[in-house]
Amino acid sequence: MAQTETQVGDELATLAADAKALHLIEFWKERMEIELPEPRGLVKPFLWHWDDIEPRLRHAARIVPVEDCERRALLFSNPGLGGRPFMSTTLLGAYSLYNAGEVAPVHRHTPCASRFVLEGKGGYTVIEGEKCRLERGDLVITPNGTWHDHGNEGPDELIWVDILDVPLVEGLNATMFEFDYSEADPRSNSGDPVPTQYQTISEPEDHSNRLYANGGMKPLFVDRQRGSGNHSPMLVYRWKAMREAFDKMRDYEGSPYDGIIMEYCDPTNGNPVMPTMSFRAQMLRPGEQTRTHRHMSSTIYVVLEGEGWTEVDGERLEWGRNDVFVVPTWKWHAHANARKDGDAVLYSVTDEPVLRTLGLYREQTRTDDGAILPVAA
Ligand code: GTQ
Ligand code: FE2
């Protein structure tokens, strides 16, 4: 005998109640949450204006003692992420400021970290015993698990942009921060490790660059493994070298989407410097406008030189010196240098290596008549 509609209704209600009690969810009620036709798009294209933030950052430097915070950072919070301190679902970023003479004590963590210097001549990071002195435009990486402490030995304020893969690592439930550094005190007889706030320098001055910044030549007499061995043994990338490379490449056509773009790499194998993030710098020549594309990876940009705009999903993010902005995954975007008389230079960080490693990377372009075509990746 066929069931009546009421009977089926009653049985469905019972099923729903039972499922709830048993901590189950009926797939057919949540399909829209699962079968997304494309990435969710919570993360908003957004730009943080240096002019708005600089006075607040300098003020924070006067009223928030570094002893209280260890890292004096203003974290970028994407307006699509409900007030969480993340720029995208994979990346965290911040402007950090250290006053003359300040030091930030040693720690390590499972998220990979990076800093890109905006201001100050006396800044440094010590990573696994290497003291990396830094100036504007220099990139320094602190890979997963490497001990690091910072300081400012210069007369002026040190300002840099931190980019870390914190939300990605958190999504994988693999976050660990450790503050209990210790090392053998040379004055002690026992040689037992004692807790300390800063690392002893164990590598020679400019170690990373002396060994590895020789373009196309690598030393055969050193063990390339540092830290976990899962990242570049070169920890500092100098702006001067990138600028010189740009000048040599200026007359090439470049990428249709990014102009003259360079990836920072592990000089021993050409891989991205860390497994989760790729670091890049790109030069847009006077008046250059790029073609539109989109890809399954999110990108954070820092404006090093010049002025221009990036159009993301029809919205124009107008940028200038020291501004920071985010292009979320799978959003159509193109860049433009607004000046006719000077280059624009963007530094960027992307989670692309993760997407590529997992086979999730996709890229498309859109022609002038609106046709969507895959880009071979
Ligand atoms: O400088 O070590 O903005 O560990 C966030 C976490 C900076 C750092 C941040 C960090 C650091
Ligand atoms: Fe850190």
Side-chain angles (χ1 to χ4, degrees), residues 105-108 126 128-129 146-149 178-184 193-202:
V106 64
H107 72 189
R108 68 175 178 181
V126 184
E128 294 287 315
T146 55
W147 292 103
H148 54 283
D149 54 89
E178 296 170 85
F179 301 87
D180 56 341
Y181 180 77
S182 61
E183 59 180 45
V194 289
T196 166
Q197 296 272 291
Y198 312 100
Q199 296 171 81
T200 299
I201 312 302
S202 57

